[in-house]
Amino acid sequence: MKISKVFLYDEPSVPEININELGRFIKEKFCVEVEIREQFFSFFKDSTSKIAYELATSKIFNLLAPFEKRTPTSEEIILEENSITNFTNTSNIVMYDGFEFRQIVANTIPEIESRPDKFHLICTNKLTCTYDYEDYRYHGRAVICSNPAIISTTGIIEAPAKPREYYLGMFENMVQGLNLDMMKNQFKGKYLEYHDVKLSEIIKGYAMQALFYYLTGQPFCESKDCRLYNAHWQEDLLHSQLTVSNLCNQHQKILDEITKNCE
Ligand SMILES: [Zn+2]
């Protein structure tokens, strides 16, 4: 698959993405033209009320059951409309079926831009989840690999698990009625927090995974010393994206091959 242009959509409620920096990174690494756009659903605002309705239908209400479409209430639709027009309202985490969400995005992109050589990468603060038939429950996802591809900033924070000790400590402190903030301080730096400045570096790795998937069919790497590592733990995520912050030799070779005729 060849890409002639990447359309990169911002999530203005998460300025830590640093969208211009992410755009420069993709342009440089993949040798491709990048156009930065505002928030996806604001960019295609002609259909706000229709999109708000569809987004409301893609919400998950039962984590233990596969997706089931339901008719949203008018309040739910208004909430979605507000999330498109007012970027600051981000206090509640709402979960969406990742594939439904992806489909809404795909349906919104006009035909002239829905060509295989045009890659759409959407950053969103909405938490995308996918149902797993292995353990019969939904899991948060940081990235939905496809074209259009979705990167969920909430997914980056919530999907890879925090250290085991964090959950154990949380539980113990709750049982004993102790202060949770003190415990959170103890683990500071071992996992990503909301509005963490580290996000701008970490999101580059997820962008690479989305692009590798589209270009090669393989988004992930087995090695923790590679930005394509599919981290299930926050510590591994920080290791791959911040400490290593590079591709492994094998994936660097693949990328060199992809960009070899680049001027
Ligand atoms: Zn690799």
Side-chain angles (χ1 to χ4, degrees), residues 23 30 68 91 99-100 114-115 147 189 198 200 205 212 227 229 237 259:
F30 291 88
E68 219 177 297
S91 51
F99 297 117
E100 293 287 321
S114 303
R115 299 202 181 132
N147 185 18
K198 294 194 278 293
S200 70
F212 260 82
R227 292 201 100 160
Y229 183 70
L237 179 67
T259 57

Side-chain angles (χ1 to χ4, degrees), residues 220-223 225-229 247-251:
F220 302 129
C221 181
E222 296 289 304
S223 168
D225 294 332
C226 179
R227 292 201 100 160
L228 303 184
Y229 183 70
L247 294 174
C248 68
N249 290 339
Q250 189 207 341
H251 280 109

Side-chain angles (χ1 to χ4, degrees), residues 48-140:
T48 297
S49 55
K50 179 173 166 275
I51 289 168
Y53 179 87
E54 286 175 357
L55 285 174
T57 65
S58 71
K59 288 204 298 196
I60 302 163
F61 291 91
N62 182 359
L63 281 179
L64 301 178
F67 183 71
E68 219 177 297
K69 230 182 198 127
R70 50 185 276 292
T71 309
T73 64
S74 50
E75 276 160 2
E76 285 168 345
I77 299 168
I78 290 167
L79 269 179
E80 292 299 338
E81 275 199 63
N82 287 343
S83 83
I84 296 171
T85 50
N86 166 20
F87 308 131
T88 52
N89 183 16
T90 58
S91 51
N92 292 335
I93 297 178
V94 182
M95 292 177 293
Y96 298 83
D97 182 276
F99 297 117
E100 293 287 321
F101 185 81
R102 195 213 78 93
Q103 201 49 49
I104 297 167
V105 167
N107 293 344
T108 305
I109 297 169
E111 208 170 313
I112 191 158
E113 290 187 354
S114 303
R115 299 202 181 132
D117 66 322
K118 300 194 190 307
F119 186 75
H120 296 262
L121 182 56
I122 288 95
C123 301
T124 179
N125 62 353
K126 294 183 188 300
L127 180 55
T128 45
C129 305
T130 56
Y131 190 79
D132 190 339
Y133 282 91
E134 300 222 329
D135 59 0
Y136 302 102
R137 57 169 297 143
Y138 268 102
H139 294 274

